[in-house]
Amino acid sequence: MDIVALKSSSRSLNTKSLIDRLLYTYFILLMAIETINGFATYKGLFFINDLVVAGKLFISILSFTFIALNSEKILSRAMILISIIFTQIFFHHLLSFDEDLRTVNVALKIFFNFFSVYYILHVLSNWDDGYKNVKRIILINFCVITFNVYLGGAGIGFENYKAADNTAIGGTGYLAAGNEVSIALLLAYSAMLIFYKHSPLKLALIIAVASIASLLVLSKVTLLGISLVTIVFFFFLNKSLFMLFIAIASTSLLLTYSSWIVYFQLAINRWTYLIRSYGIEAFILGGNKRVTYISDYLSNLAENPIILLSGVGWTGNPENNLFDLIEAFGVIGIVLFLLFSFILLRPSHLILAHFDSQLDKAVFKTHAITSFLALAIMLLAGHAIQSSMIAPFVGCFYASSFLSTLSDRSRSISKRSLK
């Protein structure tokens, strides 16, 4: 009997280890897979898109299995939430709402973004070389996303916006969704600053690469976000370094003024057009159609309050995470929004409770400003919680909060978070 139990335990360990490695490989390759998917879309190779969707479904199943093998408590919570969402989808069809099953795809994306935090903390706290492996995840994916932005800057792939004369404004390479790239780049950059905070030369390279990328994307999110995060990081880390950064950045901008001002003017023209034509709300929310759709939804909600409980299925038309989720899932959508907000804000709280050095203070402030900026993006622009490309970045952003020092203290915090 003991031999049978031992063999069963061995098979369980082998299964868990295999799933663990498959998931890690997926996290390493996630942005590369998104790039292939985007390239296929750009070239009209839709059979590749279908293969990627099938692959993501397989990864979602592996993720559920991995949680089941590691934590019954977390599995039960996840299953309750997923069951409620799928029950809602059933009622959407029963009540003849315009449900095209995109809600299922979105629900799986949202689940995986939550799972990314759990899994990357697992790697950090349970793998012998967890820190190096998590660092590898963020580094490789950061390189792929910035590579795509640089492709976009060279006129290759998708443009972020178009001017009235069809001139491209900003570019994201073969990553199709500009807003998703913006939030992913912001989270990736913040995590990279913290992972490489002890390496001045690497920090300088990361800042230069990300700063140029923010200009090439030409979105409010990247321009404002990366600038603020950099300023906050250096200001609280070292005042002398902060002054040096300001001097270098100002000199670089002045020397390259003629190269970027015409390009940047296109974005300014678009922003001023939105303000003059539709008002400040359209500028803040990124377009008049979003303002109109949210207004129409609120009117519909006033006439049919029941949809606040049931939701009506995913449309994505508000392009604003809070309204996207409320429209799709009703009250459960508000819960999902609050849970994701908690994931963004909790790391700052953990650092605040434990930091005891100037470096910890800089990490705390960097996390705090990034968290609030990400929340603002979710409220104003959307494309965050349901993004298929932010998983490695939100997971590593959360995990980076445990790396203010590479001590057993950080390891014990992350282990408690997995329970």
Side-chain angles (χ1 to χ4, degrees):
M1 187 69 175
D2 290 338
I3 295 175
V4 173
L6 186 62
K7 287 183 177 179
S8 177
S9 175
S10 177
R11 282 196 298 271
S12 177
L13 286 173
N14 288 337
T15 301
K16 185 188 296 187
S17 178
L18 176 61
I19 294 174
D20 202 351
R21 291 294 171 177
L22 285 172
L23 287 170
Y24 181 77
T25 302
Y26 179 72
F27 273 98
I28 284 284
L29 298 176
L30 199 150
M31 287 308 299
I33 292 169
E34 290 296 329
T35 302
I36 293 169
N37 194 35
F39 177 80
T41 301
Y42 191 79
K43 296 295 185 180
L45 305 173
F46 298 112
F47 72 94
I48 294 179
N49 299 135
D50 294 337
L51 289 175
V52 171
V53 170
K56 288 180 178 180
L57 178 60
F58 174 68
I59 291 297
S60 295
I61 294 169
L62 285 184
S63 302
F64 274 112
T65 307
F66 185 79
I67 293 175
L69 292 171
N70 285 277
S71 174
E72 291 183 4
K73 185 178 178 180
I74 292 179
L75 177 67
S76 62
R77 292 173 180 174
M79 290 303 297
I80 289 171
L81 196 56
I82 290 291
S83 297
I84 292 172
I85 289 173
F86 275 85
T87 301
Q88 284 184 304
I89 294 170
F90 169 76
F91 277 107
H92 293 165
H93 284 276
L94 199 64
L95 297 172
S96 299
F97 289 145
D98 188 21
E99 172 68 76
D100 59 5
L101 294 184
R102 275 191 299 169
T103 312
V104 176
N105 186 34
V106 168
L108 291 175
K109 287 179 180 179
I110 293 172
F111 158 74
F112 192 75
N113 288 334
F114 283 111
F115 172 76
S116 72
V117 175
Y118 175 84
Y119 180 73
I120 289 178
L121 282 179
H122 159 79
V123 173
L124 181 65
S125 59
N126 291 291
W127 287 30
D128 291 336
D129 51 355
Y131 169 70
K132 290 182 179 178
N133 282 286
V134 172
K135 195 173 182 180
R136 188 177 296 123
I137 289 173
I138 189 65
L139 175 61
I140 291 174
N141 285 287
F142 176 77
C143 288
V144 175
I145 194 171
T146 52
F147 174 73
N148 272 283
V149 172
Y150 278 64
L151 285 179
I156 300 171
F158 298 99
E159 70 275 354
N160 203 9
Y161 307 107
K162 277 189 177 180
D165 61 355
N166 284 328
T167 302
I169 305 176
T172 54
Y174 292 115
L175 299 174
N179 283 331
E180 293 184 27
V181 171
S182 297
I183 181 68
L185 186 58
L186 176 63
L187 291 173
Y189 176 61
S190 180
M192 286 287 286
L193 285 180
I194 296 167
F195 272 85
Y196 288 91
K197 61 187 178 292
H198 294 297
S199 307
L201 291 177
K202 291 177 181 177
L203 268 181
L205 179 60
I206 290 164
I207 292 165
V209 168
S211 298
I212 294 171
S214 71
L215 285 170
L216 294 176
V217 173
L218 269 185
S219 76
K220 300 185 292 292
V221 170
T222 51
L223 287 169
L224 179 64
I226 286 179
S227 298
L228 279 177
V229 168
T230 307
I231 289 169
V232 167
F233 179 76
F234 276 118
F235 182 81
F236 288 99
L237 179 64
N238 185 295
K239 299 297 190 296
S240 298
L241 281 177
F242 172 72
M243 296 305 297
L244 179 62
F245 163 73
I246 294 296
I248 292 173
S250 301
T251 303
S252 300
L253 287 173
L254 287 172
L255 290 175
T256 59
Y257 177 83
S258 59
S259 300
W260 58 263
I261 190 59
V262 176
Y263 184 65
F264 188 64
Q265 186 63 46
L266 294 172
I268 295 175
N269 292 343
R270 180 179 185 273
W271 298 334
T272 53
Y273 170 77
L274 285 173
I275 294 172
R276 288 173 181 171
S277 301
Y278 303 108
I280 193 67
E281 304 91 0
F283 167 72
I284 293 173
L285 294 177
N288 186 55
K289 67 172 186 174
R290 299 179 187 179
V291 178
T292 302
Y293 193 90
I294 291 171
S295 177
D296 290 343
Y297 171 72
L298 290 174
S299 298
N300 189 27
L301 182 61
E303 294 175 5
N304 304 286
I306 189 66
I307 64 175
L308 184 59
L309 293 176
S310 66
V312 299
W314 186 266
T315 67
N317 289 324
E319 297 190 57
N320 171 300
N321 266 148
L322 181 58
F323 281 99
D324 281 332
L325 291 167
I326 293 174
E327 181 185 47
F329 305 114
V331 173
I332 295 300
I334 299 175
V335 172
L336 290 171
F337 186 90
L338 292 175
L339 286 173
F340 201 83
S341 300
F342 174 78
I343 284 175
L344 291 173
L345 295 173
R346 180 168 167 74
S348 299
H349 170 74
L350 291 173
I351 300 167
L352 182 62
H354 293 89
F355 78 68
D356 51 18
S357 71
Q358 190 65 23
L359 184 57
D360 288 338
K361 186 176 183 180
V363 170
F364 163 68
K365 298 292 185 179
T366 301
H367 258 278
I369 191 66
T370 304
S371 299
F372 283 110
L373 284 170
L375 279 173
I377 294 165
M378 288 160 56
L379 284 168
L380 300 177
H383 300 280
I385 298 176
Q386 82 282 6
S387 169
S388 61
M389 67 177 69
I390 71 164
F393 304 125
V394 72
C396 288
F397 173 73
Y398 191 96
S400 67
S401 64
F402 305 116
L403 303 175
S404 54
T405 59
L406 299 179
S407 64
D408 290 337
R409 182 189 75 195
S410 297
R411 186 177 290 265
S412 66
I413 294 171
S414 59
K415 280 186 176 179
R416 288 199 300 273
S417 296
L418 286 167
K419 292 180 180 178

